[in-house]
Structures are given as structure tokens and as C-alpha cells.
Amino acid sequence: MNVALKRQMKSAARLYAVQALFQMEASDQTMDAVREQFVEHRFGATYEGDQYAQGNIAHFETVIYEAVNQQALIDQMTDRALAKKWPIDRIDPTIRAIFRAAGAELVKQNTPPKVAISEYVDVTKAFFPEGREANFVNAVLDHMAREANPDAFAE
């Protein structure tokens, strides 16, 4: 498998992870139920002539697992990066899912912080193509990344 395809599959896994985290919060479904729905019915599936991207299942599973199991830590990091008047529970649920998925990579994986930030800013643009949300997400994730891995930013 070539490098570009591997990257594309990881990017798709990140998008799916954000959708899955959103779905878990919105529907109170378990992580296992949502994981199964995505793996069985979205990854590479065709609906009404549209082909869903094939995602990296292992990366998807790791992101959602770490986002759920590290949620308290990730939410605390996010809160510290947000303005005092805007705690995480007041943030749009899609953006909250983005912060949790990205936080999982920043806290528990070996994804370079700048790559994680760039990838999740791109995910944000997919959900909010017209808005300023991408700049907001970029700023918050930069703050979170510097807290989680300050050595990655040392010159």
C-alpha cells in the first residue's frame, strides 16, 4: 500500500472518529455499538451511488477508544485552552467531538502534534466549510498540543 493511500485512510479514520464520538454523545449509544456500525456499514460502503472512503480501522478504533477512556483529561485540557466564559459543555457538539478525537492523538499516540492539528483542522473544514471554526479549532488544539507535548515545540 502506498504512502498517499495510507495517509488518506488515516484521514478518513479521523473524520469517522469525530462522527462516531458525536453519535455516541448525541444518542447515548455505547462505544462498541457505534464502532461496529462504522466499521460494518460506513468504511468503504456505497449508498445511493456514493462511495464512502475506506478508513484505517485500527486508527479509528484507537482514536475513539482513547477519546472515551481519556475524556476527563482531554476535556480538562480543552477547558484550559478555552476562554473562561466558554467551558467545553457550551461548545458545539461537533467541535467538542473534534477536540476529543484530536486530544486522544495528542495525549496518547505518537502522531506529531503539528500533523494532528493540521488533520483535525481539515476535519473541521469538512464540517464547517464557510465558517471561522477552523481558526478556532487550530488555536485551541495548538494550546492543547503545547500542554500535552511541549518538547515537540522546542526550537
Side-chain angles (χ1 to χ4, degrees):
M1 185 181 309
N2 70 33
V3 174
L5 182 58
K6 282 184 181 180
R7 275 196 198 119
Q8 184 179 20
M9 288 177 69
K10 265 193 163 177
S11 294
R14 289 178 174 107
L15 180 72
Y16 289 141
V18 169
Q19 291 173 328
L21 291 168
F22 175 89
Q23 184 173 326
M24 280 183 249
E25 182 178 339
S27 68
D28 284 332
Q29 290 178 290
T30 67
M31 177 176 58
D32 289 334
V34 172
R35 182 202 62 76
E36 185 177 329
Q37 277 181 359
F38 274 78
V39 171
E40 297 298 323
H41 302 291
R42 291 210 193 169
F43 280 57
T46 302
Y47 288 109
E48 299 176 7
D50 292 328
Q51 176 84 33
Y52 283 94
Q54 186 58 260
N56 179 317
I57 293 171
H59 192 72
F60 166 79
E61 290 174 337
T62 300
V63 170
I64 64 169
Y65 175 83
E66 294 298 345
V68 168
N69 288 301
Q70 301 295 324
Q71 183 175 322
L73 171 69
I74 293 165
D75 285 358
Q76 289 165 5
M77 286 177 59
T78 305
D79 266 337
R80 286 190 290 273
L82 294 168
K84 292 292 180 220
K85 292 185 245 176
W86 287 98
I88 192 166
D89 59 343
R90 286 187 66 189
I91 298 297
D92 177 274
T94 303
I95 293 178
R96 193 167 42 243
I98 291 167
F99 290 153
R100 288 175 177 158
E105 289 202 49
L106 294 171
V107 170
K108 286 299 217 177
Q109 294 185 27
N110 60 2
T111 305
K114 291 177 182 178
V115 171
I117 292 167
S118 176
E119 286 285 320
Y120 285 100
V121 166
D122 286 347
V123 168
T124 305
K125 290 175 184 174
F127 287 111
F128 303 97
E130 304 295 320
R132 295 187 309 248
E133 290 85 354
N135 291 336
F136 170 65
V137 167
N138 186 56
V140 172
L141 292 182
D142 183 70
H143 188 281
M144 291 170 65
R146 289 173 189 277
E147 178 180 332
N149 191 354
D151 294 342
F153 296 89
E155 293 297 320

